[in-house]
Amino acid sequence: MKRPIAVYPGSFDPVTFGHIDVVNRATELFPKVIVLVARNPSKSPLFSDKERVEMIKEVFNGNKKVGVDVFDGLLVSYAKRKNASVLVRGLRAVSDFEFEFQMALMNRKLDPSIDTVFLMPHARYTYLNSTIVREVARLGGDVSGFVPPTVRRRLQEKLNLRNNSK
Ligand code: ADP
């Protein structure tokens, strides 16, 4: 059977080593993985969707199995349009489960031909999320163990700009 195209949706504000671990695992399973940045203006992200896409592109530069796109509509409609039949999500801990379970079942209800696949990152990334990385960066902590150098640089630039404009 032909292996399906997968879509990995999220905020990626910014992309972390946890997300990257999930993408790398997904590319072992699927021929193509589209990392899909949710626009989410209502969440007031630190990085614009354009910046979030740029960072992911920089990280996976040259990896033909990874595509990057941005969306603000219904996920299953996007997947259908791209001929993708798998959604990938990361599971860090039991605390992720309830929300993810609800989302997966809702997406299945909306389109029964699309399945959600959960991947667990390496244990060293299970405590990582973008919110905590933004917070550590904001407080001047070292984020080099959580995000690639390009993201660390952009975090510094962004936070310097914010501080200077205050
Ligand atoms: P977060 O702000 O929690 O990083 P995202 O919306 O960017 O949230 O996450 C997108 C997907 O990636 C979700 O399925 C989330 O559970 C997963 N994810 C986020 N961080 C990690 C991590 N450290 N390890 C594994 N999966 C993760």
PDB file of all heavy atoms in Angstrom, residues 100-121:
ATOM      1  N   GLU A 100      -5.909  16.254  22.886  1.00  0.00           N
ATOM      2  CA  GLU A 100      -5.569  15.619  21.607  1.00  0.00           C
ATOM      3  C   GLU A 100      -6.623  14.585  21.194  1.00  0.00           C
ATOM      4  O   GLU A 100      -6.962  14.460  20.021  1.00  0.00           O
ATOM      5  CB  GLU A 100      -4.183  14.954  21.692  1.00  0.00           C
ATOM      6  CG  GLU A 100      -3.031  15.946  21.862  1.00  0.00           C
ATOM      7  CD  GLU A 100      -2.830  16.852  20.644  1.00  0.00           C
ATOM      8  OE1 GLU A 100      -3.334  16.532  19.549  1.00  0.00           O
ATOM      9  OE2 GLU A 100      -2.171  17.896  20.801  1.00  0.00           O
ATOM     10  N   PHE A 101      -7.118  13.847  22.172  1.00  0.00           N
ATOM     11  CA  PHE A 101      -8.131  12.824  21.940  1.00  0.00           C
ATOM     12  C   PHE A 101      -9.397  13.474  21.366  1.00  0.00           C
ATOM     13  O   PHE A 101      -9.953  13.035  20.358  1.00  0.00           O
ATOM     14  CB  PHE A 101      -8.410  12.167  23.298  1.00  0.00           C
ATOM     15  CG  PHE A 101      -9.386  11.037  23.276  1.00  0.00           C
ATOM     16  CD1 PHE A 101      -9.090   9.842  22.620  1.00  0.00           C
ATOM     17  CD2 PHE A 101     -10.598  11.134  23.944  1.00  0.00           C
ATOM     18  CE1 PHE A 101      -9.991   8.783  22.624  1.00  0.00           C
ATOM     19  CE2 PHE A 101     -11.502  10.082  23.960  1.00  0.00           C
ATOM     20  CZ  PHE A 101     -11.202   8.910  23.296  1.00  0.00           C
ATOM     21  N   GLN A 102      -9.798  14.599  21.979  1.00  0.00           N
ATOM     22  CA  GLN A 102     -10.992  15.314  21.542  1.00  0.00           C
ATOM     23  C   GLN A 102     -10.816  15.831  20.108  1.00  0.00           C
ATOM     24  O   GLN A 102     -11.697  15.683  19.261  1.00  0.00           O
ATOM     25  CB  GLN A 102     -11.214  16.477  22.502  1.00  0.00           C
ATOM     26  CG  GLN A 102     -12.507  17.197  22.306  1.00  0.00           C
ATOM     27  CD  GLN A 102     -12.625  18.395  23.240  1.00  0.00           C
ATOM     28  OE1 GLN A 102     -11.629  18.923  23.737  1.00  0.00           O
ATOM     29  NE2 GLN A 102     -13.831  18.821  23.483  1.00  0.00           N
ATOM     30  N   MET A 103      -9.659  16.427  19.859  1.00  0.00           N
ATOM     31  CA  MET A 103      -9.371  16.963  18.515  1.00  0.00           C
ATOM     32  C   MET A 103      -9.379  15.856  17.468  1.00  0.00           C
ATOM     33  O   MET A 103      -9.919  16.021  16.375  1.00  0.00           O
ATOM     34  CB  MET A 103      -7.970  17.600  18.497  1.00  0.00           C
ATOM     35  CG  MET A 103      -7.873  18.880  19.251  1.00  0.00           C
ATOM     36  SD  MET A 103      -8.243  20.238  18.165  1.00  0.00           S
ATOM     37  CE  MET A 103      -6.807  20.125  17.109  1.00  0.00           C
ATOM     38  N   ALA A 104      -8.733  14.733  17.803  1.00  0.00           N
ATOM     39  CA  ALA A 104      -8.622  13.631  16.842  1.00  0.00           C
ATOM     40  C   ALA A 104     -10.012  13.084  16.506  1.00  0.00           C
ATOM     41  O   ALA A 104     -10.327  12.820  15.338  1.00  0.00           O
ATOM     42  CB  ALA A 104      -7.734  12.527  17.406  1.00  0.00           C
ATOM     43  N   LEU A 105     -10.864  12.948  17.525  1.00  0.00           N
ATOM     44  CA  LEU A 105     -12.197  12.402  17.272  1.00  0.00           C
ATOM     45  C   LEU A 105     -13.065  13.405  16.505  1.00  0.00           C
ATOM     46  O   LEU A 105     -13.853  13.016  15.639  1.00  0.00           O
ATOM     47  CB  LEU A 105     -12.870  11.983  18.580  1.00  0.00           C
ATOM     48  CG  LEU A 105     -12.220  10.764  19.255  1.00  0.00           C
ATOM     49  CD1 LEU A 105     -13.008  10.362  20.482  1.00  0.00           C
ATOM     50  CD2 LEU A 105     -12.121   9.580  18.302  1.00  0.00           C
ATOM     51  N   MET A 106     -12.896  14.696  16.806  1.00  0.00           N
ATOM     52  CA  MET A 106     -13.648  15.715  16.054  1.00  0.00           C
ATOM     53  C   MET A 106     -13.212  15.707  14.590  1.00  0.00           C
ATOM     54  O   MET A 106     -14.059  15.730  13.683  1.00  0.00           O
ATOM     55  CB  MET A 106     -13.419  17.102  16.686  1.00  0.00           C
ATOM     56  CG  MET A 106     -14.090  18.237  15.941  1.00  0.00           C
ATOM     57  SD  MET A 106     -15.836  17.957  15.609  1.00  0.00           S
ATOM     58  CE  MET A 106     -16.571  18.609  17.079  1.00  0.00           C
ATOM     59  N   ASN A 107     -11.908  15.649  14.366  1.00  0.00           N
ATOM     60  CA  ASN A 107     -11.430  15.623  12.977  1.00  0.00           C
ATOM     61  C   ASN A 107     -11.917  14.373  12.250  1.00  0.00           C
ATOM     62  O   ASN A 107     -12.261  14.428  11.076  1.00  0.00           O
ATOM     63  CB  ASN A 107      -9.899  15.733  12.931  1.00  0.00           C
ATOM     64  CG  ASN A 107      -9.453  17.168  13.164  1.00  0.00           C
ATOM     65  OD1 ASN A 107     -10.143  18.113  12.771  1.00  0.00           O
ATOM     66  ND2 ASN A 107      -8.323  17.346  13.824  1.00  0.00           N
ATOM     67  N   ARG A 108     -11.988  13.267  12.970  1.00  0.00           N
ATOM     68  CA  ARG A 108     -12.484  12.025  12.350  1.00  0.00           C
ATOM     69  C   ARG A 108     -13.969  12.171  11.992  1.00  0.00           C
ATOM     70  O   ARG A 108     -14.421  11.695  10.963  1.00  0.00           O
ATOM     71  CB  ARG A 108     -12.263  10.848  13.284  1.00  0.00           C
ATOM     72  CG  ARG A 108     -12.843   9.568  12.727  1.00  0.00           C
ATOM     73  CD  ARG A 108     -12.613   8.410  13.644  1.00  0.00           C
ATOM     74  NE  ARG A 108     -11.231   7.964  13.588  1.00  0.00           N
ATOM     75  CZ  ARG A 108     -10.703   7.160  14.514  1.00  0.00           C
ATOM     76  NH1 ARG A 108     -11.413   6.770  15.545  1.00  0.00           N
ATOM     77  NH2 ARG A 108      -9.446   6.768  14.407  1.00  0.00           N
ATOM     78  N   LYS A 109     -14.694  12.839  12.875  1.00  0.00           N
ATOM     79  CA  LYS A 109     -16.128  13.062  12.619  1.00  0.00           C
ATOM     80  C   LYS A 109     -16.288  13.935  11.361  1.00  0.00           C
ATOM     81  O   LYS A 109     -17.152  13.709  10.529  1.00  0.00           O
ATOM     82  CB  LYS A 109     -16.727  13.777  13.841  1.00  0.00           C
ATOM     83  CG  LYS A 109     -18.180  13.956  13.820  1.00  0.00           C
ATOM     84  CD  LYS A 109     -18.887  12.704  14.305  1.00  0.00           C
ATOM     85  CE  LYS A 109     -20.386  12.794  14.090  1.00  0.00           C
ATOM     86  NZ  LYS A 109     -20.998  11.479  14.060  1.00  0.00           N
ATOM     87  N   LEU A 110     -15.423  14.962  11.251  1.00  0.00           N
ATOM     88  CA  LEU A 110     -15.508  15.873  10.108  1.00  0.00           C
ATOM     89  C   LEU A 110     -15.099  15.181   8.814  1.00  0.00           C
ATOM     90  O   LEU A 110     -15.625  15.487   7.757  1.00  0.00           O
ATOM     91  CB  LEU A 110     -14.619  17.105  10.351  1.00  0.00           C
ATOM     92  CG  LEU A 110     -15.060  18.041  11.477  1.00  0.00           C
ATOM     93  CD1 LEU A 110     -13.985  19.084  11.760  1.00  0.00           C
ATOM     94  CD2 LEU A 110     -16.382  18.721  11.127  1.00  0.00           C
ATOM     95  N   ASP A 111     -14.125  14.285   8.915  1.00  0.00           N
ATOM     96  CA  ASP A 111     -13.670  13.551   7.731  1.00  0.00           C
ATOM     97  C   ASP A 111     -13.122  12.182   8.144  1.00  0.00           C
ATOM     98  O   ASP A 111     -11.961  12.059   8.540  1.00  0.00           O
ATOM     99  CB  ASP A 111     -12.582  14.351   6.994  1.00  0.00           C
ATOM    100  CG  ASP A 111     -12.237  13.696   5.663  1.00  0.00           C
ATOM    101  OD1 ASP A 111     -12.496  12.475   5.519  1.00  0.00           O
ATOM    102  OD2 ASP A 111     -11.732  14.384   4.775  1.00  0.00           O
ATOM    103  N   PRO A 112     -13.960  11.144   8.030  1.00  0.00           N
ATOM    104  CA  PRO A 112     -13.561   9.810   8.489  1.00  0.00           C
ATOM    105  C   PRO A 112     -12.388   9.217   7.707  1.00  0.00           C
ATOM    106  O   PRO A 112     -11.791   8.233   8.157  1.00  0.00           O
ATOM    107  CB  PRO A 112     -14.822   8.957   8.277  1.00  0.00           C
ATOM    108  CG  PRO A 112     -15.937   9.919   8.068  1.00  0.00           C
ATOM    109  CD  PRO A 112     -15.342  11.191   7.540  1.00  0.00           C
ATOM    110  N   SER A 113     -12.047   9.819   6.557  1.00  0.00           N
ATOM    111  CA  SER A 113     -10.933   9.242   5.778  1.00  0.00           C
ATOM    112  C   SER A 113      -9.578   9.725   6.294  1.00  0.00           C
ATOM    113  O   SER A 113      -8.541   9.299   5.811  1.00  0.00           O
ATOM    114  CB  SER A 113     -11.094   9.595   4.297  1.00  0.00           C
ATOM    115  OG  SER A 113     -10.885  10.989   4.116  1.00  0.00           O
ATOM    116  N   ILE A 114      -9.595  10.624   7.267  1.00  0.00           N
ATOM    117  CA  ILE A 114      -8.326  11.164   7.785  1.00  0.00           C
ATOM    118  C   ILE A 114      -8.068  10.640   9.198  1.00  0.00           C
ATOM    119  O   ILE A 114      -8.941  10.712  10.065  1.00  0.00           O
ATOM    120  CB  ILE A 114      -8.340  12.705   7.753  1.00  0.00           C
ATOM    121  CG1 ILE A 114      -8.405  13.162   6.292  1.00  0.00           C
ATOM    122  CG2 ILE A 114      -7.112  13.289   8.455  1.00  0.00           C
ATOM    123  CD1 ILE A 114      -8.473  14.647   6.093  1.00  0.00           C
ATOM    124  N   ASP A 115      -6.885  10.088   9.405  1.00  0.00           N
ATOM    125  CA  ASP A 115      -6.522   9.559  10.726  1.00  0.00           C
ATOM    126  C   ASP A 115      -5.463  10.417  11.399  1.00  0.00           C
ATOM    127  O   ASP A 115      -4.629  11.022  10.711  1.00  0.00           O
ATOM    128  CB  ASP A 115      -5.956   8.143  10.582  1.00  0.00           C
ATOM    129  CG  ASP A 115      -7.003   7.106  10.939  1.00  0.00           C
ATOM    130  OD1 ASP A 115      -7.669   7.276  11.980  1.00  0.00           O
ATOM    131  OD2 ASP A 115      -7.156   6.147  10.155  1.00  0.00           O
ATOM    132  N   THR A 116      -5.490  10.434  12.728  1.00  0.00           N
ATOM    133  CA  THR A 116      -4.452  11.157  13.469  1.00  0.00           C
ATOM    134  C   THR A 116      -3.462  10.152  14.041  1.00  0.00           C
ATOM    135  O   THR A 116      -3.869   9.145  14.631  1.00  0.00           O
ATOM    136  CB  THR A 116      -5.077  11.982  14.623  1.00  0.00           C
ATOM    137  OG1 THR A 116      -6.084  12.830  14.068  1.00  0.00           O
ATOM    138  CG2 THR A 116      -4.024  12.829  15.316  1.00  0.00           C
ATOM    139  N   VAL A 117      -2.192  10.440  13.844  1.00  0.00           N
ATOM    140  CA  VAL A 117      -1.122   9.578  14.356  1.00  0.00           C
ATOM    141  C   VAL A 117      -0.354  10.364  15.415  1.00  0.00           C
ATOM    142  O   VAL A 117       0.017  11.515  15.187  1.00  0.00           O
ATOM    143  CB  VAL A 117      -0.173   9.173  13.196  1.00  0.00           C
ATOM    144  CG1 VAL A 117       1.110   8.558  13.719  1.00  0.00           C
ATOM    145  CG2 VAL A 117      -0.877   8.206  12.265  1.00  0.00           C
ATOM    146  N   PHE A 118      -0.157   9.744  16.580  1.00  0.00           N
ATOM    147  CA  PHE A 118       0.566  10.420  17.664  1.00  0.00           C
ATOM    148  C   PHE A 118       1.977   9.879  17.769  1.00  0.00           C
ATOM    149  O   PHE A 118       2.184   8.667  17.773  1.00  0.00           O
ATOM    150  CB  PHE A 118      -0.175  10.208  18.991  1.00  0.00           C
ATOM    151  CG  PHE A 118      -1.520  10.857  18.990  1.00  0.00           C
ATOM    152  CD1 PHE A 118      -2.667  10.116  18.742  1.00  0.00           C
ATOM    153  CD2 PHE A 118      -1.638  12.221  19.186  1.00  0.00           C
ATOM    154  CE1 PHE A 118      -3.911  10.722  18.714  1.00  0.00           C
ATOM    155  CE2 PHE A 118      -2.883  12.839  19.157  1.00  0.00           C
ATOM    156  CZ  PHE A 118      -4.011  12.087  18.917  1.00  0.00           C
ATOM    157  N   LEU A 119       2.919  10.800  17.855  1.00  0.00           N
ATOM    158  CA  LEU A 119       4.319  10.381  17.994  1.00  0.00           C
ATOM    159  C   LEU A 119       4.881  10.957  19.281  1.00  0.00           C
ATOM    160  O   LEU A 119       4.619  12.108  19.624  1.00  0.00           O
ATOM    161  CB  LEU A 119       5.134  10.885  16.791  1.00  0.00           C
ATOM    162  CG  LEU A 119       4.720  10.274  15.447  1.00  0.00           C
ATOM    163  CD1 LEU A 119       5.482  10.945  14.301  1.00  0.00           C
ATOM    164  CD2 LEU A 119       4.996   8.771  15.428  1.00  0.00           C
ATOM    165  N   MET A 120       5.647  10.122  19.979  1.00  0.00           N
ATOM    166  CA  MET A 120       6.265  10.592  21.226  1.00  0.00           C
ATOM    167  C   MET A 120       7.692  11.016  20.949  1.00  0.00           C
ATOM    168  O   MET A 120       8.439  10.282  20.279  1.00  0.00           O
ATOM    169  CB  MET A 120       6.245   9.474  22.257  1.00  0.00           C
ATOM    170  CG  MET A 120       4.937   9.431  23.013  1.00  0.00           C
ATOM    171  SD  MET A 120       4.846   7.987  24.034  1.00  0.00           S
ATOM    172  CE  MET A 120       4.445   6.758  22.834  1.00  0.00           C
ATOM    173  N   PRO A 121       8.065  12.176  21.459  1.00  0.00           N
ATOM    174  CA  PRO A 121       9.444  12.625  21.235  1.00  0.00           C
ATOM    175  C   PRO A 121      10.392  11.865  22.155  1.00  0.00           C
ATOM    176  O   PRO A 121       9.938  11.147  23.061  1.00  0.00           O
ATOM    177  CB  PRO A 121       9.388  14.088  21.658  1.00  0.00           C
ATOM    178  CG  PRO A 121       8.366  14.102  22.755  1.00  0.00           C
ATOM    179  CD  PRO A 121       7.333  13.097  22.341  1.00  0.00           C
TER     180      PRO A 121
END
